[in-house]
Amino acid sequence: MRVGKARGLRTTTKRHIPKAALIMLLLTVSLLSISFFTLNASGDANAPAYAPNRSKSPTDIPSAPSPADRVVVTLVTEEKLGQLADGVTYNFWTFNGTVPGPLIRLRVNQTVEMHIINPPNSTMTHSIDSHGILGQGGGGAYSQTAPGNESIFQFTAMNPGLFLYHCATPDIPTHIANGMFGLMLVEPKDGLPKVDHEFYITQSEFYTQGAYGQQGYQPFSFQKAQDETPDYVVYNGRVGALTGSGTMKVKVGDTVRIFFGNPGPNLVASLHIIGGIMDRVYVDGSLESPPLLDAQTTLVPAGGAAMVEFTARTPGVLTLLDHSIFRLHQGAVATFTVTGPNNPAIIASIKNGTGPIPTAQTVNTIVPSTEGASNTTSASAANNTVLIVNYAYSPADLTVPVGTTVTWVNQDSVGHTVTEGDPNSPKQPSLRVFDSSGEAVTGKVALIGAGQSWSYTFTTPGTYEYYCIVHPYMIGHITVGPVSGSNSSQGSGYGDLTNFTITFTGRDLVGLSAVGIIVLVALTLIFARPGRKKTT
Ligand SMILES: [Cu+2]
């Protein structure tokens, strides 16, 4: 299109348009083209269509069962597009539009009139099987509901406990894998003791045709599910649902209860809280058995649940994860942010050996720093080093002159990343100004391992926010100030443009070519046509 226009421009302007008008036209077209292509590059050339967050809030729980002897529960089986990770969309099958579905809170001996409504725009039949319902299929035989129909059945909650429910329509594993699950809590006769906070968390796997983090819409992969090789292991249906702005907030001294479910569909969860000890674990969701006391890690089988209680005793961040720990690279991480006074009787530093590190030379730079790093002798080692300690960047805010190579040294026992952007609205990997994970290149998130370091040279002034992909509550800033000296900021501009070019689409290239052709044609017209003025 643009090429055609350019040719048209040449034929119509060849002899009749004055030079000034031609230059104006040239400027206008160029500016338009450039703004078009800049928007495209910095915006979302490859971004997926917008999809809502389907993640169930962990605090969206009824506070107590209804006192009535008979209650009505309505579940709507909705097939809906949603976010599986930043920039990744997935067609979830849900109960009531969220993953997990609602926490159904009952008390023992209560009778439930269960309504299953399958909207007319569904593509298939859905149903419910609750592990807390006695009878054929846990209700599955009474609830198969075609699109545009409703099924109603009743049951009595005979046993107290924390039970998983899920869709029971063939292929059942596929319905579970796509998000159709939730928890049904049947409280014992005397109810549950009061606590300060209750949270509702499920761990499940998603199997997508693309690898972890691959952008855009990702269809379900039956083969990967059959092979039990998930791409995603997530809490509440989305990478990052319970970290960053989704962190679960409590105060020092608060008592916390977790209703934890593992619908699988394949993996067993090794539930662990870093920095916490589970005071009580109601293993297998059994609420009438005495709880397991003082547990570090508890197994939650696929198709199982556990009720876990602990007290937040020190301020900081508690990380809930599956201690089959590589799964945190697949999304299996959640955090509690605990605020309040330190408690030195429980833990206190006596000597902090974290820094400053001696010299930059002793640092093992695992990723080569970018070009332009050579002329950076001005900054001292201490001023251009950020330590990663206790799940935080130290210092969190660092100001350096243009041209400085900043080195992050990971002194934690776990891996982290240094990823430019705001964790609450992360950029596509290819648009990040800097990113230690290499995700834009490999499609996977590589970590700066324990004891390793990573460097980046800042050549453009500005303030850059960054975070850790696996612990998005870790946030830091680098402010790059202009400095007197020979470092030109032009080089950096090119560095950034190199990033942008990764996302150029064919359309961009056509646009670029068009600009080039316009410029060439215009120059030809201006300077190479018969010089009338010369002859005077
Ligand atoms: Cu279903």
Side-chain angles (χ1 to χ4, degrees):
M1 293 278 279
R2 285 166 178 273
V3 175
K5 263 187 190 168
R7 281 179 187 148
L9 181 73
R10 182 175 64 164
T11 52
T12 54
T13 56
K14 199 168 182 180
R15 292 278 187 268
H16 308 294
I17 296 183
K19 191 187 282 182
L22 188 65
I23 290 170
M24 289 299 290
L25 185 65
L26 168 69
L27 275 173
T28 309
V29 173
S30 300
L31 283 173
L32 280 174
S33 304
I34 287 166
S35 66
F36 158 80
F37 121 85
T38 306
L39 274 176
N40 226 5
S42 64
D44 33 18
N46 301 322
Y50 173 77
N53 185 4
R54 302 276 170 212
S55 177
K56 182 80 170 171
S57 163
T59 56
D60 188 4
I61 312 174
S63 57
S66 158
D69 289 332
R70 184 182 178 92
V71 295
V72 174
V73 171
T74 300
L75 295 177
V76 184
T77 58
E78 300 178 293
E79 303 167 7
K80 293 200 151 180
L81 196 69
Q83 303 168 7
L84 180 53
D86 296 326
V88 181
T89 55
Y90 189 84
N91 189 32
F92 294 93
W93 302 352
T94 72
F95 290 103
N96 291 8
T98 62
V99 180
L103 189 141
I104 301 167
R105 192 161 198 163
L106 309 171
R107 56 184 177 78
V108 69
N109 293 327
Q110 209 164 25
T111 295
V112 178
E113 183 179 301
M114 174 70 80
H115 293 240
I116 302 290
I117 297 172
N118 195 357
N121 62 346
S122 287
T123 60
M124 67 203 76
T125 293
H126 295 294
S127 57
I128 187 171
D129 164 355
S130 169
H131 297 180
I133 297 178
L134 297 176
Q136 182 73 47
Y142 301 85
S143 59
Q144 298 298 323
T145 310
N149 283 267
E150 176 178 13
S151 298
I152 307 170
F153 69 103
Q154 73 171 50
F155 67 91
T156 297
M158 300 299 292
N159 300 64
L162 182 62
F163 299 101
L164 193 77
Y165 68 82
H166 57 83
C167 183
T169 299
D171 174 57
I172 296 171
T174 298
H175 285 248
I176 297 173
N178 282 330
M180 298 196 78
F181 49 76
L183 289 178
M184 186 174 99
L185 171 65
V186 181
E187 295 197 19
K189 196 160 74 50
D190 296 330
L192 294 176
K194 281 270 171 283
V195 290
D196 295 313
H197 303 275
E198 290 182 330
F199 296 108
Y200 174 29
I201 304 175
T202 57
Q203 173 177 329
S204 74
E205 313 105 60
F206 284 87
Y207 301 83
T208 53
Q209 302 212 335
Y212 176 88
Q214 188 169 321
Q215 300 287 286
Y217 173 69
Q218 293 298 331
F220 171 64
S221 168
F222 185 90
Q223 190 58 51
K224 286 182 181 175
Q226 186 64 49
D227 293 343
E228 305 191 10
T229 53
D231 300 284
Y232 295 87
V233 183
V234 294
Y235 296 122
N236 289 19
R238 190 199 192 284
V239 174
L242 306 181
T243 57
S245 59
T247 189
M248 296 168 280
K249 293 175 187 164
V250 303
K251 291 193 173 67
V252 169
D254 284 354
T255 50
V256 178
R257 172 180 292 145
I258 305 169
F259 301 114
F260 186 87
N262 179 15
N266 290 316
L267 299 184
V268 168
S270 300
L271 177 63
H272 177 77
I273 301 170
I274 296 174
I277 297 171
M278 304 181 214
D279 297 325
R280 287 170 297 282
V281 178
Y282 294 80
V283 179
D284 290 341
S286 169
L287 301 184
E288 290 197 313
S289 309
L292 194 65
L293 302 180
D294 312 321
Q296 58 187 305
T297 301
T298 192
L299 274 180
V300 185
M307 191 172 91
V308 169
E309 293 173 351
F310 69 92
T311 303
R313 298 194 184 277
T314 56
V317 173
L318 302 174
T319 303
L320 180 149
L321 47 64
D322 185 334
H323 220 300
S324 288
I325 200 161
F326 269 83
R327 293 174 187 167
L328 69 81
H329 300 159
Q330 296 176 296
V333 59
T335 58
F336 298 90
T337 300
V338 186
T339 53
N342 282 313
N343 189 340
I346 294 178
I347 189 167
S349 172
I350 294 174
K351 178 180 188 301
N352 188 336
T354 54
I357 57 153
T359 65
Q361 281 74 25
T362 62
V363 165
N364 167 33
T365 301
I366 56 168
V367 176
S369 54
T370 56
E371 54 195 71
S374 51
N375 49 357
T376 57
T377 47
S378 57
S380 76
N383 288 341
N384 59 11
T385 300
V386 178
L387 302 178
I388 308 178
V389 187
N390 292 331
Y391 295 82
Y393 302 107
S394 177
D397 298 324
L398 179 67
T399 300
V400 296
V402 162
T404 303
T405 298
V406 176
T407 298
W408 284 263
V409 182
N410 184 6
Q411 301 192 333
D412 265 352
S413 54
V414 301
H416 298 288
T417 75
V418 171
T419 302
E420 189 265 335
D422 172 1
N424 297 316
S425 57
K427 299 178 176 180
Q428 294 174 49
S430 61
L431 296 181
R432 296 166 188 159
V433 175
F434 55 94
D435 181 10
S436 68
S437 81
E439 192 180 4
V441 179
T442 63
K444 300 208 166 194
V445 174
L447 301 181
I448 306 168
Q452 291 183 313
S453 63
W454 182 79
S455 299
Y456 181 82
T457 301
F458 288 87
T459 44
T460 307
T463 294
Y464 301 91
E465 184 172 46
Y466 65 93
Y467 63 100
C468 172
I469 291 177
V470 285
H471 313 104
Y473 49 87
M474 294 170 57
I475 292 173
H477 298 89
I478 301 289
T479 300
V480 181
V483 72
S484 59
S486 60
N487 284 318
S488 77
S489 61
Q490 287 220 339
S492 73
Y494 288 119
D496 293 344
L497 276 173
T498 312
N499 267 346
F500 287 158
T501 55
I502 296 170
T503 64
F504 285 170
T505 62
R507 236 168 91 224
D508 297 323
L509 292 175
V510 170
L512 267 179
S513 312
V515 174
I517 289 169
I518 291 166
V519 170
L520 270 178
V521 167
L523 287 174
T524 308
L525 288 170
I526 293 166
F527 296 108
R529 59 184 184 154
R532 279 175 228 151
K533 284 185 180 173
K534 269 187 187 169
T535 57
T536 54

